[in-house]
Amino acid sequence: MGDVDRIERCFSSFKIIPIDEDTLHSEGTGFSSVDNGGVYENKESDVVKEIESWLPITESRKGNAYTAAFHLFSSGIGTPALLLPFAFTSLGWSWGIVVLIVIFAWRLYTMWLLVHLHETVNGTRYSRYLQLAIVAFREKLGKCLSIFPTMYLSGGTCVMSIIAGGRTLQLFYNTICENDQHCLHKSLSGAQWFLVFVCLAILIAQFFPNLNSLAWVSFVGSILGVTYFTMLWALSIVKGRPNGVTYNPSNNVTTTMAQFRAVLNGIAIIAIAFRGHNLVLEIQGTLPSNPKHPTKTRMWRGVMASYSFVAMCVFPLAIGGYWAYGNMMPGNGIMGAIAKYHQESTPKWLIGTIYMMIVIQCLCSFQIYAMPVFDNLERIYVSRHLKACPRWVRSCIKLFFGGLTYFISVAFPFLGSLAAFVGGIALPLSLVYPCFMWISIKKPQRNSLMYCLNMFLGCLGILISVVQVAGALWNLVVEKLDANFFNP
């Protein structure tokens, strides 16, 4: 078989040559699947390694635990977490804290599973979520289960970053103008603010060819994320509680069904506040590996460091924000609460600084979530031309992606209202699939602790996902979705 045929087979939609599981995991086998979900002869592995060295995810493997921590934190925290205090208005103190802790611990556990599934005992590495899903669930089922969630959590998050970043830019401009009507009249339209954000994002992307090169971008995003989260909950506590604050969830609803719907919405907000599982394997793919020092040790240190800071951000914000505003917390989260109750007493420079931090953090997370999309698009070019993408092709790919995400954000500026619904569909990627992947690949003994735990969590995750999707649809029907197409 010639090199061209071997390369074409490498890119045949991650096609897998079926072999027994024992053969896959045996150290003495003559086969090795290297970074593309397939199983190839050792001679072919060199070709696959060369191809992987051309793609953005695996082009550079010079990362370390620190860069992994920066990537994980910058991608794992964002504007959805600012709604956590609002989730407490329907769950109350006790259940709000319990659900927040359970979801946090559950996601940390499934991340541990993914970290330990990234690399097998014989050195096989799966540096993309889709590859691991295909190995665990076979080709057809793996693609069916994981393509939409990974696509949504990559491209969809970029679209949401555009919407959040563009609107925050507009808020920043309005804050600078204050009450100057002449200045306010000169403000750009919503679509134009989105365009400003996209242009900045794609301009930044041009300078970073691969995921590992984004380490400094992730570092900046991490620092700013910690800073503005801390500023928000600290400001809410320092300013004190408005008059009339209560903490009884039943005060916000009039019927039992409305209360049940509010509880489902609160759980959905907490479930989608954490993110980044679709990037764990990709981030781990930037770390070097050898038989004596596999990547899981360094990656897990990065995970623990990043999740420690995530906890330092989300728990004080959720608890402090709910303490400060209680059931008076507006539906747009803690930023809306500060603007509603403390806008006049808060210095404009402080509000403007927070807005700008949010914009920059959105720009940083955009880069990380866009990288898997760039990787897939470059894979198409490499499979056809059998060489690395030249710089001008990479620039064109990034411009195309920027234009596509801009069009979607302008066409569907109400996507934030669908976050609970679409997030429920993608939720199994974080809570369910890693559990079943462990059972499928590691094959723990039936009725053992790991088998029972992962089976229980996997089934429970499916149930939560179904209930969340149903609850989101129910909420959309009752609240009546404001589908303002092409009117951001």
Side-chain angles (χ1 to χ4, degrees):
M1 181 182 293
D3 285 349
V4 174
D5 293 333
R6 288 198 296 269
I7 293 174
E8 287 179 350
R9 195 173 72 179
C10 294
F11 291 93
S12 181
S13 301
F14 298 124
K15 186 175 181 179
I16 296 177
I17 302 173
I19 63 173
D20 295 334
E21 292 293 332
D22 294 337
T23 305
L24 176 63
H25 299 293
S26 63
E27 292 184 301
T29 182
F31 296 85
S32 175
S33 62
V34 182
D35 280 328
N36 73 339
V39 180
Y40 305 97
E41 296 178 0
N42 288 332
K43 185 178 179 181
E44 293 175 332
S45 297
D46 295 335
V47 178
V48 178
K49 286 180 180 179
E50 184 178 12
I51 293 170
E52 292 298 312
S53 68
W54 296 337
L55 299 175
I57 298 295
T58 49
E59 184 178 51
S60 174
R61 294 191 187 273
K62 299 179 181 179
N64 53 51
Y66 296 104
T67 60
F70 295 146
H71 289 319
L72 289 166
F73 182 81
S74 185
S75 62
I77 199 168
T79 53
L82 300 181
L83 299 178
L84 284 173
F86 179 71
F88 276 49
T89 62
S90 56
L91 298 173
W93 277 116
S94 300
W95 282 110
I97 294 175
V98 168
V99 172
L100 183 61
I101 292 174
V102 168
I103 295 295
F104 178 83
W106 193 343
R107 283 183 170 267
L108 184 60
Y109 170 70
T110 53
M111 192 167 286
W112 180 87
L113 295 178
L114 290 174
V115 168
H116 284 75
L117 289 172
H118 170 83
E119 191 171 5
T120 63
V121 292
N122 62 343
T124 302
R125 299 183 66 176
Y126 305 110
S127 297
R128 296 164 184 83
Y129 198 100
L130 178 59
Q131 297 167 0
L132 186 62
I134 291 175
V135 170
F137 305 132
R138 300 302 183 186
E139 185 171 4
K140 291 184 179 180
L141 183 60
K143 289 182 177 180
C144 179
L145 293 176
S146 60
I147 284 181
F148 173 76
T150 53
M151 177 184 65
Y152 166 74
L153 292 175
S154 293
T157 302
C158 290
V159 172
M160 293 304 300
S161 295
I162 294 172
I163 295 174
R167 288 175 176 171
T168 308
L169 275 173
Q170 187 171 14
L171 291 173
F172 174 78
Y173 179 86
N174 293 340
T175 301
I176 297 300
C177 289
E178 294 191 54
N179 297 323
D180 187 346
Q181 295 299 320
H182 180 70
C183 177
L184 292 174
H185 285 318
K186 290 184 177 181
S187 176
L188 302 177
S189 65
Q192 290 171 328
W193 284 117
F194 287 7
L195 182 60
V196 171
F197 183 90
V198 170
C199 290
L200 290 173
I202 299 304
L203 177 63
I204 294 172
Q206 300 294 344
F207 296 97
F208 300 95
N210 55 65
L211 181 57
N212 187 56
S213 66
L214 287 172
W216 282 104
V217 174
S218 296
F219 173 74
V220 172
S222 300
I223 296 299
L224 294 180
V226 172
T227 303
Y228 82 76
F229 265 78
T230 303
M231 291 174 67
L232 287 175
W233 66 258
L235 183 63
S236 299
I237 293 176
V238 169
K239 289 296 182 179
R241 293 178 291 184
N243 295 328
V245 170
T246 61
Y247 302 103
N248 188 351
S250 61
N251 291 347
N252 288 350
V253 293
T254 56
T255 65
T256 303
M257 295 304 291
Q259 184 174 3
F260 180 65
R261 180 166 53 84
V263 168
L264 293 180
N265 186 53
I267 295 174
I269 290 173
I270 295 177
I272 64 178
F274 304 98
R275 58 188 189 180
H277 272 62
N278 61 307
L279 296 174
V280 173
L281 297 174
E282 284 81 350
I283 293 171
Q284 194 168 352
T286 65
L287 304 181
S289 177
N290 58 67
K292 292 184 178 180
H293 300 93
T295 60
K296 62 183 179 182
T297 303
R298 280 164 292 174
M299 185 64 180
W300 185 241
R301 287 203 298 265
V303 169
M304 290 303 295
S306 65
Y307 259 59
S308 297
F309 281 99
V310 168
M312 290 169 54
C313 291
V314 299
F315 280 90
L317 183 128
I319 296 172
Y322 185 57
W323 176 87
Y325 305 107
N327 288 347
M328 297 174 67
M329 174 67 65
N332 55 352
I334 195 168
M335 281 300 301
I338 292 175
K340 183 177 181 179
Y341 301 112
H342 305 302
Q343 185 170 6
E344 297 300 326
S345 61
T346 304
K348 296 297 183 291
W349 66 265
L350 182 59
I351 297 296
T353 301
I354 293 175
Y355 284 148
M356 189 50 59
M357 287 182 178
I358 293 175
V359 171
I360 298 175
Q361 204 274 334
C362 286
L363 286 170
C364 294
S365 62
F366 181 97
Q367 310 303 320
I368 304 174
Y369 279 95
M371 196 58 70
V373 181
F374 298 154
D375 185 87
N376 288 331
L377 294 176
E378 288 190 29
R379 181 179 288 272
I380 297 173
Y381 178 91
V382 170
S383 65
R384 292 181 178 179
H385 299 276
L386 311 179
K387 62 179 182 179
C389 283
R391 188 168 182 175
W392 71 269
V393 173
R394 283 187 165 178
S395 297
C396 290
I397 287 174
K398 292 172 181 179
L399 288 171
F400 167 76
F401 178 71
L404 179 62
T405 52
Y406 172 69
F407 173 79
I408 295 174
S409 63
V410 172
F412 308 99
F414 54 90
L415 280 180
S417 303
L418 301 176
F421 171 70
V422 184
I425 298 176
L427 191 64
L429 185 141
S430 301
L431 302 183
V432 178
Y433 299 162
C435 299
F436 292 144
M437 286 175 177
W438 184 273
I439 294 174
S440 175
I441 295 175
K442 295 294 185 179
K443 298 190 180 303
Q445 187 177 357
R446 189 176 292 270
N447 298 327
S448 64
L449 176 61
M450 287 299 292
Y451 180 89
C452 294
L453 176 62
N454 285 298
M455 185 61 70
F456 170 74
L457 291 177
C459 295
L460 180 61
I462 293 174
L463 177 62
I464 292 175
S465 177
V466 172
V467 171
Q468 179 176 329
V469 171
L473 281 175
W474 184 13
N475 195 59
L476 289 173
V477 171
V478 174
E479 299 293 337
K480 297 181 180 179
L481 175 66
D482 181 17
N484 53 326
F485 293 98
F486 294 97
N487 186 27

